[in-house]
Amino acid sequence: MARRFLVIHGPNLNMLGKREVGIYGGKSIERINDEVAAEAATLEVEIEFFQSNSEGELVGAVQGCRQRTDGIVLNAGAYTHYSIALRDAIAAAEVPTVEVHISNIYKRESFRHTSVIAPVCIGQICGLGSLGYVLALRALLEERLDPWLP
Amino acid sequence: MARRFLVIHGPNLNMLGKREVGIYGGKSIERINDEVAAEAATLEVEIEFFQSNSEGELVGAVQGCRQRTDGIVLNAGAYTHYSIALRDAIAAAEVPTVEVHISNIYKRESFRHTSVIAPVCIGQICGLGSLGYVLALRALLEERLDPWLP
Amino acid sequence: MARRFLVIHGPNLNMLGKREVGIYGGKSIERINDEVAAEAATLEVEIEFFQSNSEGELVGAVQGCRQRTDGIVLNAGAYTHYSIALRDAIAAAEVPTVEVHISNIYKRESFRHTSVIAPVCIGQICGLGSLGYVLALRALLEERLDPWLP
Amino acid sequence: MARRFLVIHGPNLNMLGKREVGIYGGKSIERINDEVAAEAATLEVEIEFFQSNSEGELVGAVQGCRQRTDGIVLNAGAYTHYSIALRDAIAAAEVPTVEVHISNIYKRESFRHTSVIAPVCIGQICGLGSLGYVLALRALLEERLDPWLP
Amino acid sequence: MARRFLVIHGPNLNMLGKREVGIYGGKSIERINDEVAAEAATLEVEIEFFQSNSEGELVGAVQGCRQRTDGIVLNAGAYTHYSIALRDAIAAAEVPTVEVHISNIYKRESFRHTSVIAPVCIGQICGLGSLGYVLALRALLEERLDPWLP
Amino acid sequence: MARRFLVIHGPNLNMLGKREVGIYGGKSIERINDEVAAEAATLEVEIEFFQSNSEGELVGAVQGCRQRTDGIVLNAGAYTHYSIALRDAIAAAEVPTVEVHISNIYKRESFRHTSVIAPVCIGQICGLGSLGYVLALRALLEERLDPWLP
Amino acid sequence: MARRFLVIHGPNLNMLGKREVGIYGGKSIERINDEVAAEAATLEVEIEFFQSNSEGELVGAVQGCRQRTDGIVLNAGAYTHYSIALRDAIAAAEVPTVEVHISNIYKRESFRHTSVIAPVCIGQICGLGSLGYVLALRALLEERLDPWLP
Amino acid sequence: MARRFLVIHGPNLNMLGKREVGIYGGKSIERINDEVAAEAATLEVEIEFFQSNSEGELVGAVQGCRQRTDGIVLNAGAYTHYSIALRDAIAAAEVPTVEVHISNIYKRESFRHTSVIAPVCIGQICGLGSLGYVLALRALLEERLDPWLP
Amino acid sequence: MARRFLVIHGPNLNMLGKREVGIYGGKSIERINDEVAAEAATLEVEIEFFQSNSEGELVGAVQGCRQRTDGIVLNAGAYTHYSIALRDAIAAAEVPTVEVHISNIYKRESFRHTSVIAPVCIGQICGLGSLGYVLALRALLEERLDPWLP
Amino acid sequence: MARRFLVIHGPNLNMLGKREVGIYGGKSIERINDEVAAEAATLEVEIEFFQSNSEGELVGAVQGCRQRTDGIVLNAGAYTHYSIALRDAIAAAEVPTVEVHISNIYKRESFRHTSVIAPVCIGQICGLGSLGYVLALRALLEERLDPWLP
Amino acid sequence: MARRFLVIHGPNLNMLGKREVGIYGGKSIERINDEVAAEAATLEVEIEFFQSNSEGELVGAVQGCRQRTDGIVLNAGAYTHYSIALRDAIAAAEVPTVEVHISNIYKRESFRHTSVIAPVCIGQICGLGSLGYVLALRALLEERLDPWLP
Amino acid sequence: MARRFLVIHGPNLNMLGKREVGIYGGKSIERINDEVAAEAATLEVEIEFFQSNSEGELVGAVQGCRQRTDGIVLNAGAYTHYSIALRDAIAAAEVPTVEVHISNIYKRESFRHTSVIAPVCIGQICGLGSLGYVLALRALLEERLDPWLP
């Protein structure tokens, strides 16, 4: 049976392509999702997408992955920096999660240098634009097939 | 003409596979380099490797890339956290650099949560084991072909 | 007329019994609510329950207690540590509130050692598992009958 | 065509007039909105009002102003102090925003002295009670007519 | 055989009822002990009481519980905030301990917000007046009968 | 009898219009005073102006308002951030004071984010250019006529 | 009836005259007590002296002053900097207390710059050698006769 | 020849008796000076007084004491907390200086707990109202006659 | 005449061998004292032992060494981290003191990384178990015979 | 036409040669000015000198250089560390300024390690005694003739 | 077979005996090595010595001990305070290491109070001059023969 | 005999003229050395130059100056901010050293505002481009001829 993955976009990512293109690039969220879907097709995995501006809904989406999804690609947007609720949801879901950021958060304001969710994710990809989502998908799939830690 | 990339491993990475395998996994540096070389062959790019425990030699290696190399995959090891000299070398070299960490540095001691080189790299991949090097190589290549920021 | 109390569970508490049982124990939220309801029956008070992952809904639930509820037993989950909105709601509601945590938050990550809601609650019970809810209910009832401060 | 403005009230502002009147005064949110509407009529601008306790809904309301509204008067309540999501929404919306606080936040608890949204607003008015909303409206209108920075 | 518990009062608690009644209420230490003794009689457990202003004597009292007492109810007073010696004694004694504070320490000066003993106690009850001691006794008894963590 | 107000400009505000116009706009202090005087005429209040680079003279000017002036509009310039002497003068004068800043100080260097005088003023207006002075005057007048706190 | 005062010396003050005379001067504690006793005789007040190295005994001595002593001259020695227990004792005793230090603590190591007891004393005299005790006695007596705050 | 001393009052002390009498008491600066002058007459020393709101003038007054004055009683008011210029003047003047504060600065806002001049004064008296000036004068005189440090 | 040394054990060291053997090892205090006494016999020096949980008694024991003891081996236990009183006693005693810790305090909680007594001791030995006491004794003896600093 | 420069000395520099010669050397301000004047004569530039203890006067002196002076040599003395007013004056004047300190401020108290004016000066010379003024003058002249940044 | 140990000296230790003898004593590195070699002969263990100013070489020396050396005596000099690379090398080598410092680092500048290598060493000896190396050697040998932790 | 001086350039200074010319200017290290050599010829002193990217080699170069060189002009580049090893080398060498920075480090990232070597140098020149080296050379020469401190 095919692996199933969920891509979760946090607050303001629905504004991609319109908002601050010098920081986030000019691709819309739909175009990014299309690119990821194309990669998923190539890799023969199922993929779904979710976006919300609401912390509570994002918590719910992560919780819903428990025992139903093989991995999460998560760009938590601004919640990255303070949503302990989201962190707890990831820990509770027990689904491998890769944290993605389109921009290099370490080049920006200092409050963006801290991710409260990073310690409960398996890894982080940032600064590589929409490609980050695609690479995260591959990482999740490979990690399932060939875990790098014994 | 084929693109040329350099993979740079910092201090103690020559101990991979022997050292703390619960943190860094069981692959030796040679095996990781082989994996990256295989990917490079697939992508039809040239690849070279360098490892040193010496901050000064790492600075020199990065400087040497200036106007000669298309991208750097850099795992600076412990120097990540304090080598401003290395940071300045990356800025001086003006070669796109992706920062890689085998382990998820945000799960570990707090002094590993800060990277002084991150602000001068284009992005960071961490926690994905040796796969991180391979993904970084792809990111550098794609970034050259299709820059995500206008 | 019987006293009326509300038990409020914050984010991820709907995962109790499934999630990290080494930290939170193996009881589900339903079983905890049953235990509290049994105690309420013994004490001859009315009791209601509310759970939400949404900060806004929790704020609304607390506001709704104003002039309608005699006391709140509140486990705000992760919002304990940053939801000033929830704090303001408690202050605005002017209903005696006891803060409860199932685990001993002072044994865990340092960001869990700070409660932004504690200064507007009458007291805090933590680390006593589901018993904390029952004790909080008793405290609220006694405090109504025999205030300990003149 | 008449200018259009939106007044946004954040969490717990629906409790105005009931809640802590020594801090926030005795006017209800409806009465404040009436005062602002009267001023808007005098100034011949269109005005709308929005209140929510939900961070996600407030983010959505700000996003919705993009290319549709000439200015925002925003009292973000407690979210002022931590909602980076709201901050990002304001930056994404690219609509001039004036931050308003009824009370003088610098006289209160130290955690209220920091506004994470201030750097993306054009200015801040605080401590002037409900008059702050009226003055903010005037400032937005004048700023449109006669920008003070070249 | 009946369970045996010890209630330990730290410095200045011998002044209860006389001292700052707006903070600590008007009950004397003797009256509080009587209330706890009555509860102990109801629960059919043995109870003893100890008060000292001396850090060293408190350390000794805790040490003396080792393998002789089933649980400690501890209000360490001001030592709560700096007595690492007392913390080490609790860890050395290996007797379940519940920390109690009469007042809500989180409403008071910031130096009272930190408890150096909390991480070695099983839980904390604060702000509930003398009732806190009674609830702590019940918690210790129940924890013995029905541990909430597996 | 007409109300009397004083507008106080702190250090370097005599350089307005010449100095860093990208930050402070192109209006001279004379032109700003004219605008405020025009508004004062409309409001039928008396207005005076004072500028000094000297902390001691500013302290003296504020002291001189005691029992002689109905309100102060104060742009303390750089002294905003460290002059406790000025803060004490405002507290001693017991005259309602509105703090004004031409630029949005929260967009600038972090040392400009703290105002030591804010806690003794009734409110603050910043980022609205010279309009801030006019709005402050209106606020002072209305506050006298219709205090928003009971 | 004559006023009664107590002079309390904290830890290591029994070593005065022997210990670090460059810091504390060459007078023994007995000689200092004699000087204070002489002043007391002149002022026609009763005076007693107490010294202890034990925090608990010092707490007890302060508690014992309640309703029996008109004022305390307290040199708490090293406990000045961390004994919250002593601070609480002073607050509980409700006896006017003047804090004295022989040396100028602000010229010494930074940990000596903080006094946890200062906020509960009426004032502090430091750096004036043994004269500080005499002046403190006079201050206590005058404060009784002619309180400077209404 | 008679000793000569100078009493220096810093900013806002000219408002004594009018300003915040709950903090500073009801005596005017003239009355305090009279009390000190009376004591000086008793002690047969010459005394002068100086008050200024200007940091520069206070620096000048202290400098002027060099080789002309036997001691300074200095209440630097708000400058206590930040005037390094005043600190340097005291060090340059090489005249024994006693720092005086009418109120107990350690009971007040935390920024008043630090004195930048304390390390260059011989001692500090605070919280004893106007009596502090008198005691400081006596201390300076005795220190001259009988230095307590060898 | 034979040299005389004192070994001082601080709070909870009487629990050695019983308490947390994974941290402190399985030897009792008696056995450690026997080992040190055997070494002392070999070195032909006199040795005494003292243990107390009381800060005041430890201060007294150190003071008592003045001019009577040639060196102190001091394991201050938890007081290491906050007892400035003990630090002052060491400085006052003027007896060479070597600080010993059985466990490596730098591997443990961060509050154990600071020793307030270290700056007044001649050196520190930690992490070497009970051997640390023996080595400290030798160091004190050699330091007497052959001081390493001129 | 000859270049014109101004040398500005801040507070207490009028005490040079008298004050703390171990820190500042034994030359008076007049002698230093003579040395600088001699160098100016050699370089064929006009030079003026100004000294004040008053922050406001120093601000005025800097402002007065605007469009009239080719460069400022500024030793701001103690104001270096906190006078944001002076910083703003330098920015407003738009005259190249070199910051000079006679002593090496980085060898002294930590509060002297921060210069709030350094970011608006072109450079800093410290620790080189009176020679620093002469070198600064040369630097200003050369910078005018041959700017080192394009 | 005899045990083998390596003594590693970090940067500037080649200057011993010449450099700052008031801090480090007058013995050269050769003389210290001779003393340690003599002790090694007595203990019948093999000993080698290594000194380098280069962080990379020190990392290499530590790595080289893996599976070849029974223990390391390491004085890392200044690298003690920041070389995470050296710390990682010690962890990777898995050879018991005792950290030695000739001077008491806790008596010196605050940046010398932190050792980044301490948490990966078994223990630390400091302040005992060259004797520290000898004692460390003994500790390593005994630890091998009779581990103090089970 | 002619004085001998050494100019030391730290990491990345070999990239001068190529690297970030907006920060460091367009001159190569060779051209800067030529300018300094020309000045040295004028002053009739011997001059040598050294550059390295290696901390260890820089430490060695500084050590090598001991008793052989009359002064060091040191631009430590990035090592300025963390190389305590270099600091210790300067202290050990006991050769007067002037710290030089081409750019104004106080205008740049905050981690460049701290120099760990400044406290052991005689002074610092920064922000004056390559002229800084020339001025430093003059300062060293004059300091030899006419020390400004007695």
Side-chain angles (χ1 to χ4, degrees), chain F:
Chain F
M1 201 188 96
R3 301 278 180 192
R4 299 175 52 191
F5 297 94
L6 179 63
V7 176
I8 302 179
H9 301 283
N12 295 302
L13 290 162
N14 57 328
M15 302 294 274
L16 278 175
K18 289 175 260 193
R19 153 200 187 203
E20 297 160 289
V21 300
I23 297 175
Y24 299 105
K27 292 184 188 167
S28 68
I29 188 173
E30 290 77 18
R31 181 156 158 223
I32 291 175
N33 287 352
D34 287 350
E35 288 177 6
V36 178
E39 180 81 2
T42 306
L43 298 171
E44 299 186 347
V45 299
E46 288 180 32
I47 192 88
E48 284 181 284
F49 300 94
F50 182 75
Q51 192 275 334
S52 176
N53 293 327
S54 158
E55 188 177 9
E57 288 178 11
L58 292 163
V59 165
V62 170
Q63 288 181 354
C65 291
R66 189 177 170 84
Q67 299 178 338
R68 257 178 292 170
T69 308
D70 292 291
I72 300 173
V73 177
L74 172 59
N75 182 343
Y79 290 137
T80 300
H81 312 302
Y82 58 106
S83 178
I84 302 173
L86 201 49
R87 171 196 179 116
D88 286 356
I90 299 168
E94 295 181 338
V95 174
T97 301
V98 173
E99 180 186 0
V100 169
H101 300 286
I102 290 174
S103 66
N104 181 346
I105 58 178
Y106 305 107
K107 274 191 178 154
R108 303 176 63 195
E109 304 95 326
S110 64
F111 63 78
R112 294 197 206 270
H113 298 187
T114 301
S115 165
V116 302
I117 63 172
V120 294
C121 294
I122 61 171
Q124 185 187 78
I125 297 174
C126 81
L128 304 179
S130 61
L131 182 63
Y133 291 91
V134 172
L135 299 180
L137 185 61
R138 289 185 47 129
L140 281 169
L141 189 63
E142 297 221 8
E143 200 269 341
R144 285 270 127 166
L145 301 174
D146 176 18
W148 67 268
L149 281 185

Side-chain angles (χ1 to χ4, degrees), chain E residues 1-5 40-41 43-47 68-71 141 144:
Chain E
M1 201 189 94
R3 301 281 179 190
R4 299 175 52 190
F5 296 94
L43 297 171
E44 299 187 346
V45 299
E46 288 180 30
I47 192 88
R68 257 177 292 171
T69 309
D70 292 291
L141 189 63
R144 284 273 127 165

Side-chain angles (χ1 to χ4, degrees), chain B residues 12 14-15 18-20 53-55 78-79 81-82 109 111-112, chain K residues 55-56 59-60 63 66 82-85 87-89 91-92 94:
Chain B
N12 294 303
N14 57 329
M15 302 295 273
K18 290 175 261 194
R19 153 202 187 202
E20 297 160 290
N53 293 326
S54 158
E55 188 177 8
Y79 290 137
H81 312 304
Y82 58 106
E109 303 95 326
F111 62 77
R112 294 196 206 272
Chain K
E55 189 177 9
V59 165
Q63 288 182 353
R66 190 178 168 82
Y82 58 107
S83 179
I84 302 173
R87 173 195 178 116
D88 286 356
E94 296 180 339

Side-chain angles (χ1 to χ4, degrees), chain I residues 9-87:
Chain I
H9 300 284
N12 294 303
L13 290 163
N14 57 329
M15 302 295 274
L16 278 176
K18 290 175 260 194
R19 153 201 188 201
E20 297 159 289
V21 300
I23 297 174
Y24 298 105
K27 293 184 186 166
S28 68
I29 188 174
E30 291 77 18
R31 184 158 155 221
I32 290 175
N33 286 352
D34 287 350
E35 288 177 7
V36 179
E39 181 80 4
T42 305
L43 298 171
E44 299 187 346
V45 300
E46 287 180 34
I47 192 89
E48 282 182 285
F49 301 94
F50 180 75
Q51 192 274 333
S52 176
N53 293 327
S54 158
E55 188 177 8
E57 288 177 12
L58 292 164
V59 165
V62 171
Q63 287 181 354
C65 291
R66 188 178 169 83
Q67 298 178 339
R68 256 175 294 169
T69 308
D70 291 292
I72 300 172
V73 177
L74 173 59
N75 182 342
Y79 291 137
T80 300
H81 311 305
Y82 59 105
S83 178
I84 302 172
L86 202 49
R87 172 194 178 116

Side-chain angles (χ1 to χ4, degrees), chain A residues 98 134-144, chain B residues 128 131 135:
Chain A
V98 173
V134 172
L135 299 181
L137 185 62
R138 287 185 48 131
L140 282 169
L141 188 64
E142 296 221 11
E143 197 270 340
R144 283 273 127 164
Chain B
L128 304 179
L131 183 63
L135 299 180

